[in-house]
Amino acid sequence: MNDDRPTLVDAKKSVLEFIVNRLPSLAQQGQRIEQVSLFSDGLLDSIVLLELIAHIEEFAKVKIPNEALLIENFDTIAGITGQLEECYGRGTEVGESS
């Protein structure tokens, strides 16, 4: 495991900042923010999804497995951070095979 990998908490904060920077109105949602449907409600599009996945993999130094790349896994912040937790739990870094 890479000692340069940010903590899971820092990685989650980074995901939240990434999304709020693209949707400033989400910051006003308060506690509901983690359950807002980002993609199925049309707030974000597939291009942003690709940017988000690239951001997660680069920032957190993880590889999200292809089988996890489903819109339902990334439709809410709770779902996104759940995928991040799974990546951290596996301990698979970018460039490693799972």
Side-chain angles (χ1 to χ4, degrees), residues 10-68:
D10 288 341
K12 286 181 177 183
K13 285 180 186 176
S14 175
V15 166
L16 185 60
E17 288 172 6
F18 178 94
I19 293 169
V20 169
N21 282 338
R22 279 150 185 80
L23 280 174
S25 62
L26 273 185
Q28 300 168 354
Q29 297 278 337
Q31 295 296 326
R32 291 189 46 236
I33 192 170
E34 289 207 356
Q35 298 304 323
V36 172
S37 295
L38 303 170
F39 296 96
S40 61
D41 285 351
L43 298 174
L44 298 176
D45 62 24
S46 58
I47 300 296
V48 176
L49 176 59
L50 295 174
E51 292 172 352
L52 173 62
I53 291 167
H55 171 77
I56 291 169
E57 290 186 340
E58 183 178 328
F59 181 86
K61 298 179 174 72
V62 297
K63 174 71 176 131
I64 299 171
N66 289 340
E67 60 271 11

